[in-house]
Each structure stands twice: as structure tokens, then as C-alpha cells.
Amino acid sequence: MVGGSGGVGASTFAAVLTSVADRATLIDLDPVGGGIDVLLGIDDLPGARWSGLRTGGGRLDPEVLAAGLPRWNATPVLAADVAPAVEAVGEVVAAAAARGPVVLDLPRAPGPLREAGLACCAMCVLVAAATDVRSLTAAAAVLRSLPDVAVGLVLRRGGFGVAEAVDLLGAPLLGVLPPIDRPAERVARRVAAGIVDGIAA
């Protein structure tokens, strides 16, 4: 999951995606995002964050990993309180994937950490806002910066029409969410369920 610009709710949608997938794990790879545990209100729960995770030198057991993380509802969450070691990303994602689906909350800016995360992904979901030219231009720049990976678009309604925004961005549309200032939980869960079903098919 990656946001086309700041404030579009990509991290929140990443969490919603885990809530509709059985035995999913949410992994935060955005060390400047403020911590997904803070966003979800679980920052006071005990459990490992990236700073407390020890990798290398042995097999990382999927169930031990899940049991050692704080949970948002039923979802184990690995928050980026520090920048994860790039070489650890693949190992941790592989361990979590042995247990069930993994959703990665990725940084918008290109870099080794984002590339390591994308290398583990079956699909990258770009969350963009059709609010104004600046938001769509930013989303188009993020889209261009992604490597050769399958990308789908989740679009938040705004001043631009959906068809116009999709045509401008040129990525397949996976679903449409209400504007960021309107309640969207039921719609977000429906869109998320469609993405999970599509990947599993």
C-alpha cells in the first residue's frame, strides 16, 4: 500500500485490508510516517516494533513473530519506530507470509526500503485523491516511480470525476472511496474485500 500524496488515508486503508483477510499481518515500512501503531491507537500495547526485532542467523518462526507483535483487533502489527534494515525486510515478510496474507505500508519516496518491500509484493495498491490537480499530479509521480510491479488504484472522490482521474493516472481501478472527510468504513471494507478476493483468485 502506498499513498499518492499525504493525507489520503493509505495507512488506514492498509489496516482495513488486513481486517478482511484471514490471518493477515500488517507491516509498516515507512519510518517517517509517525508509526502505524500510533495511527491505530495501539502504541501503548506491549510487543515488538522494528527496533526490537532481531533477525538473521536463524529461521524466523511465523507464529512466534505474530505472537510477539501488538495487535489491532486480530491483526499483528509491526510498526516502524525506526528504519528497518533493508536486508531484514524479505526475511520478516516471508515469515509473516507463511502464516497468512501480508499488507505492507510503504513510503511514497523511492529508496532501498520501498524497493525491498515491493520485491515481496504480488500487487501494489496506490491510494490517490481526486481532489485537485496537485494531488493527482503527485499520485502520477509516485506511480511513475514504482518499478515493474502490478499496480491497482484505489481512488478517493473529489473535485475530479472518477473516469477523468483514472484516465490521467493510467492504472487499473480497484475501487472508489468517499472523500477523506466523510465516513468510509463500510465502503472501505467492501473495496478491501474485493482486492483480497482478486489476489486470491
Side-chain angles (χ1 to χ4, degrees):
M1 193 74 57
V2 63
S5 57
V8 295
S11 297
T12 301
F13 187 68
V16 171
L17 195 58
T18 65
S19 72
V20 299
D22 188 41
R23 292 172 62 82
T25 302
L26 178 57
I27 298 180
D28 181 10
L29 292 180
D30 187 4
V32 298
I36 203 162
D37 55 342
V38 176
L39 174 71
L40 298 175
I42 60 169
D43 51 303
D44 58 343
L45 296 182
R49 276 65 174 172
W50 273 106
S51 64
L53 201 64
R54 301 292 174 256
T55 60
R59 177 180 173 272
L60 187 57
D61 183 274
E63 296 301 335
V64 172
L65 173 65
L69 299 177
R71 290 183 179 246
W72 178 70
N73 298 327
T75 302
V77 177
L78 179 56
D81 59 336
V82 298
V86 172
E87 60 273 13
V89 171
E91 181 183 355
V92 172
V93 172
R99 181 179 177 272
V102 180
V103 178
L104 303 179
D105 187 26
L106 300 172
R108 287 194 309 277
L113 198 52
R114 193 181 75 170
E115 306 317 305
L118 285 168
C120 303
C121 293
M123 170 181 279
C124 179
V125 177
L126 175 70
V127 181
T131 50
D132 51 34
V133 173
R134 187 177 181 209
S135 296
L136 288 172
T137 301
V142 172
L143 192 58
R144 285 193 304 272
S145 75
L146 295 171
D148 187 18
V149 61
V151 179
L153 176 65
V154 171
L155 191 68
R156 284 200 176 273
R157 291 189 184 276
F160 281 79
V162 170
E164 186 180 7
V166 170
D167 186 58
L168 176 65
L169 293 173
L173 182 66
L174 301 176
V176 179
L177 300 176
I180 194 70
D181 59 347
R182 295 188 189 171
E185 184 176 347
R186 189 186 318 175
V187 177
R189 287 182 64 83
R190 189 168 63 244
V191 172
I195 292 171
V196 170
D197 290 345
I199 291 174

